[in-house]
């Protein structure tokens, strides 16, 4: 049933939207292919914001933000061919360009990207409902990621700008590109997570096809021209359309060398299987997660409450790194819930542009029904919502619900809810928690809350072998972006971070010769007369 108080948080009409954040629908009719903005006259997909306005009858309707092309398999294969041609089996202008040359193109791109900041941030708010502070942070974090990646690449290049002499062999070892990269980003960090794979792929000399997510697609449009004018033709190609139509022919061609996806393990499996030569495909993926927090009997509950609030509900819990289940020792469960429940209910729901808003409209139209279903399932099995207002809904606005006691057999125990529900489990023995992690399909991160160093240490050792990051008295999170971001089981394949991503999207190649005078003369002449880009001692300052 629609909650009228929540419904009243949507703007009553256009005048209720602050002038700075109003948006005229953007109808994208072009896409980037082979260095050109191609005009599109075919079918389009309309983009409806999770932000609603009442219609004449007073019913909340999602606001139209614009539309984008639904291109088909033909355009997808054209994009693939453009990327293949630009790579040209490693002989293209881009893969053979010096690292300094590639960095210079990327710097041009960042300058142009910065010019689009206001529009992109506004589109992040409108398309996925992320609040203004977090949308701005997403943009700024992406810019910082690009600059950090450039700096790290310079360091890597400097370290490889020299010869090694070992066991009578002289060699130079550098990282080389892999080929054509198919990149797909998620809706929850549509800019940041897409770019944390796209940018290192491009910088390492690969050529790219990138498919925008269903929610969070339009915000890439203002950046297509920046890509077009900053890189040689065919290096960056956009792909629109339904994944089920456009991805299979591209994968089945066998011409994709790297698949990078931030999404579900189910989709990842389907996509990988379509490649005819799996051994030739490298996959870099961040997938499902059900990060768990464990609250030990002696935990500082103030810290546990504030970190669990951030961990479970930043961006309404729609983060792969969100804490998606809390295990609390039975001796402190009541006290934890007595503090946590009201803190959750106090989070401010509202429109993304309103200062201090913490709970915002959800972009996936089916999500509120799914969340309600999870709650009903838990209730039918003996759990209850323990916070005031939890589970109240008005179209896309959903008030976070703390559900307790959650047990094996309930959807919330195993499914990744990816939204504002916090399942809480009571336990008596830490072994129950460890057993949960062992039997879980996921293995991204966990958080331990406690003060007893013996108890914390006893958990750290098994946990580091079950997940990829153990946070102590802190929420789960990806940052800092220089830390490895990965997971076990169904949670990831490969590792991302500023440096790891550069390595993931490249392979080491070596040029080697026997240490003889004749060979040294050859090397000296090639290097001295700058005859090769790879075999070179040029130093990037
Ligand atoms: O959705 C997954 C994001 O990479 C999480 O990043 O932990 O910084 O919010 P974050």
């Amino acid at each position: 049933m629609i909650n009228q108080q929540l419904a009243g948080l949507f703007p009553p009409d256009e005048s209720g939207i602050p002038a700075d954040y109003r948006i005229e629908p953007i109808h994208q009719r072009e896409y980037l292919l082979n260095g050109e903005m191609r005009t599109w006259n075919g079918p389009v997909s309309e983009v409806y914001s999770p932000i609603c306005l009442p219609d004449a009858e007073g019913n909340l309707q999602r606001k139209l933000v614009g539309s984008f092309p639904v291109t088909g398999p033909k355009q997808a294969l054209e994009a693939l061919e453009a990327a293949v041609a630009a790579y040209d089996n490693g002989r293209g202008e881009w893969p053979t360009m010096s690292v300094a040359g590639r960095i210079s193109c990327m710097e041009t791109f960042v300058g142009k990207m910065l010019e689009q900041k206001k529009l992109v941030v506004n589109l992040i708010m409108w398309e996925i409902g992320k609040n203004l502070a977090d949308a701005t942070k997403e943009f700024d974090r992406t810019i910082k990621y690009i600059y950090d990646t450039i700096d790290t690449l310079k360091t890597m290049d400097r370290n490889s700008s020299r010869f090694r002499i070992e066991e009578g062999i002289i060699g130079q070892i550098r990282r080389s590109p892999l080929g054509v990269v198919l990149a797909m980003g998620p809706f929850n960090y549509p800019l940041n997570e897409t770019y944390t794979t796209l940018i290192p792929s491009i910088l390492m000399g690969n050529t790219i096809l990138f498919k925008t997510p269903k929610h969070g697609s339009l915000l890439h449009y203002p950046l297509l021209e920046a890509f077009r004018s900053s890189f040689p033709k065919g290096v960056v190609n956009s792909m629109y359309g339904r994944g089920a139509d456009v991805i299979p022919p591209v994968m089945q061609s066998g011409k994709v060398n790297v698949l990078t996806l931030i999404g579900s393990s189910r989709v990842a499996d389907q996509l990988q299987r379509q490649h005819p030569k799996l051994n030739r495909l490298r996959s870099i993926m961040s997938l499902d997660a059900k990060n768990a927090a464990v609250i030990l009997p002696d935990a500082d509950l103030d810290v546990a409450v504030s970190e669990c609030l951030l961990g479970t509900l930043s961006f309404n819990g729609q983060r792969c790194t969100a804490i998606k289940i809390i295990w609390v020792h039975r001796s402190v469960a009541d006290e934890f819930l007595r503090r946590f429940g009201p803190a959750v209910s106090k989070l401010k729901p509202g429109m993304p542009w309103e200062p201090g808003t913490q709970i915002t409209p959800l972009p996936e139209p089916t999500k509120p029904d799914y969340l309600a279903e999870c709650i009903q399932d838990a209730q039918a099995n003996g759990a209850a919502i323990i916070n005031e207002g939890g589970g109240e809904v008005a179209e896309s606005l959903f008030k976070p619900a703390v559900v307790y006691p959650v047990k094996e057999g309930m959807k919330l125990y195993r499914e990744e809810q990816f939204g504002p529900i916090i399942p809480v489990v009571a336990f008596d023995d830490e072994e129950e928690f460890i057993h949960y992690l062992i039997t879980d399909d996921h293995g991204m991160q966990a958080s331990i809350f406690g003060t007893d160093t013996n108890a914390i240490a006893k958990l750290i050792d098994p946990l580091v072998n079950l997940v990829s990051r153990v946070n102590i008295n802190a929420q789960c999170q990806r940052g800092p972006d220089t830390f490895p971001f990965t997971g076990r089981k169904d949670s990831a394949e490969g590792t991302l971070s500023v440096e790891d991503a550069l390595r993931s999207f490249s392979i080491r190649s070596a040029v080697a010769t026997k240490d003889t005078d004749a060979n040294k003369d050859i090397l000296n002449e090639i290097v001295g007369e700058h005859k090769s880009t790879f075999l070179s001692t040029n130093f990037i300052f």
Side-chain angles (χ1 to χ4, degrees), residues 290 325-327 378 381-384 402-414 421-426:
K290 183 89 175 173
I325 190 161
I326 299 176
W327 284 67
N381 287 288
V402 183
V403 179
Y404 175 79
V406 165
K407 295 192 178 93
E408 179 81 272
M410 296 178 187
K411 275 173 181 291
L412 285 173
Y413 191 77
R414 293 288 181 190
I421 298 185
I422 306 122
V424 181
V425 181

Side-chain angles (χ1 to χ4, degrees), residues 521-537:
D521 286 347
I522 290 174
L523 293 183
N524 271 329
E525 196 168 316
I526 293 174
V527 170
E529 295 179 22
H530 305 291
K531 292 187 176 187
S532 162
T533 311
F534 184 101
L535 201 69
S536 155
T537 52

Side-chain angles (χ1 to χ4, degrees), residues 159-218:
N159 292 339
S160 36
S161 291
R162 62 190 188 89
F163 286 91
R164 282 164 60 169
I165 307 177
E166 280 166 39
E167 297 175 26
I169 304 285
I170 308 175
Q172 185 169 28
I173 304 163
R174 286 181 182 280
R175 300 203 73 90
S176 309
L178 291 162
V180 172
V181 177
L182 171 59
M184 283 177 280
F187 83 77
N188 64 330
Y189 278 89
L191 180 74
N192 183 261
E193 291 224 298
T194 308
Y195 277 37
T196 55
T197 58
L198 209 59
I199 299 296
S201 308
I202 297 171
L203 271 172
M204 291 316 287
N206 303 287
T207 59
I208 314 296
L209 300 170
F210 84 101
K211 170 148 179 3
T212 55
K214 187 164 169 223
H215 307 289
S217 191
L218 270 181

Side-chain angles (χ1 to χ4, degrees), residues 141 188-189 193 319-321 477-479 485:
R141 178 179 178 180
N188 64 330
Y189 278 89
E193 291 224 298
R319 293 160 59 226
C320 52
T321 45
Q477 62 179 49
R478 174 175 178 156
F485 178 51

Side-chain angles (χ1 to χ4, degrees), residues 107 140 342 400 438:
E107 285 169 342
D140 293 343
I438 290 172

Side-chain angles (χ1 to χ4, degrees), residues 32-34 74-86 179-185 194 197-198 201-202 206-212 224 227 234-240 246-247 249-251 253 255-261 505:
L32 173 60
L33 193 144
N34 205 21
K74 177 174 174 285
Q75 292 73 29
L77 288 172
E78 282 172 357
L80 174 67
E81 287 314 322
V84 168
V180 172
V181 177
L182 171 59
M184 283 177 280
T194 308
T197 58
L198 209 59
S201 308
I202 297 171
N206 303 287
T207 59
I208 314 296
L209 300 170
F210 84 101
K211 170 148 179 3
T212 55
L224 292 186
F227 276 123
V235 172
V236 182
N237 304 280
S238 61
M239 273 173 78
Y240 290 88
V246 298
I247 302 295
V250 168
M251 288 304 289
S253 73
K255 293 178 183 173
V256 170
N257 303 97
V258 185
L259 170 66
T260 179
L261 164 78
F505 293 105

